[in-house]
Amino acid sequence: MNQHEFRVALGHPALEFVATRARRRAGPVERLVEPADLSRWLELAGIAGGAGCDRTLLVRARELREAIYRIVVAAREDHPSARADRELVNAWARRRAPSPQLDPDLRMTLIGPDPCRAALTQLARDAIELVAGRELQRIRDCADPTCSLMFIDHSPPGRRRWCSMERCGNRAKTASYRRRRRTPPRA
């Protein structure tokens, strides 16, 4: 099984879910390839531990993820979103509510009739709250031109540039340093 790297710590579960598809601008990379990838991401994101997702739910999760992505982009650009995207997200959000529970490590997990479906329901609700709430104005695109991730800028001045300083920020600063070192000083 190919273990894909997942990005978390983007400031919101819906944006972390959207990040399961990387490099959207050029050569997209699908990180939810197998049902086990979705189950693993749900556990890593702290949304549902032990969710046994099947191939049908994997396909539906990808559809939901892409609808959330298009809705967030439309909301940020102050454009109406596609009706089909709104209907899909709203349909997931109307499903039976998952119940928060504590796992043995005292972390919250969501339990429902089907943990995978319950987690997707919660992600749809999170996306609605994001788009309709105050955090929409704090969503930023990573400044790295090769990165397509969005994140919530929780910094007090609101000037964060990178999805992750350890990844994209460090890469950009290293590249800038190397460019300066190659440029001969002016005489």
Side-chain angles (χ1 to χ4, degrees), residues 82-136:
R83 180 178 177 185
D85 290 337
R86 285 191 320 273
E87 287 177 357
L88 180 65
V89 171
N90 286 337
W92 273 103
R94 280 192 302 270
R95 291 178 179 261
R96 195 163 146 200
S99 301
Q101 300 288 300
L102 292 173
D103 70 8
D105 298 321
L106 298 179
R107 291 179 303 169
M108 184 184 78
T109 187
L110 298 172
I111 303 297
D114 173 341
C116 193
R117 277 181 175 35
L120 295 176
T121 295
Q122 186 60 47
L123 285 165
R125 291 173 181 189
D126 289 343
I128 290 170
E129 289 174 7
L130 175 64
V131 169
R134 292 182 181 192
E135 287 192 316
L136 178 67

Side-chain angles (χ1 to χ4, degrees), residues 23-144:
R23 290 190 261 169
R24 289 174 179 274
R25 296 180 192 131
V29 174
E30 178 60 69
R31 292 184 172 139
L32 299 178
V33 177
E34 298 292 329
D37 296 329
L38 177 57
S39 299
R40 192 167 56 86
W41 181 82
L42 290 171
E43 186 161 349
L44 177 67
I47 297 171
C53 302
D54 61 21
R55 188 149 302 278
T56 300
L57 281 174
L58 173 64
V59 170
R60 294 213 170 103
R62 287 184 196 151
E63 291 169 353
L64 175 61
R65 177 196 62 200
E66 294 308 302
I68 290 170
Y69 172 74
R70 290 186 296 267
I71 286 171
V72 169
V73 169
R76 290 182 67 210
E77 295 174 355
D78 202 24
H79 294 297
S81 61
R83 180 178 177 185
D85 290 337
R86 285 191 320 273
E87 287 177 357
L88 180 65
V89 171
N90 286 337
W92 273 103
R94 280 192 302 270
R95 291 178 179 261
R96 195 163 146 200
S99 301
Q101 300 288 300
L102 292 173
D103 70 8
D105 298 321
L106 298 179
R107 291 179 303 169
M108 184 184 78
T109 187
L110 298 172
I111 303 297
D114 173 341
C116 193
R117 277 181 175 35
L120 295 176
T121 295
Q122 186 60 47
L123 285 165
R125 291 173 181 189
D126 289 343
I128 290 170
E129 289 174 7
L130 175 64
V131 169
R134 292 182 181 192
E135 287 192 316
L136 178 67
Q137 304 307 315
R138 295 186 77 69
I139 296 175
R140 307 284 184 266
D141 294 310
C142 183
D144 182 342

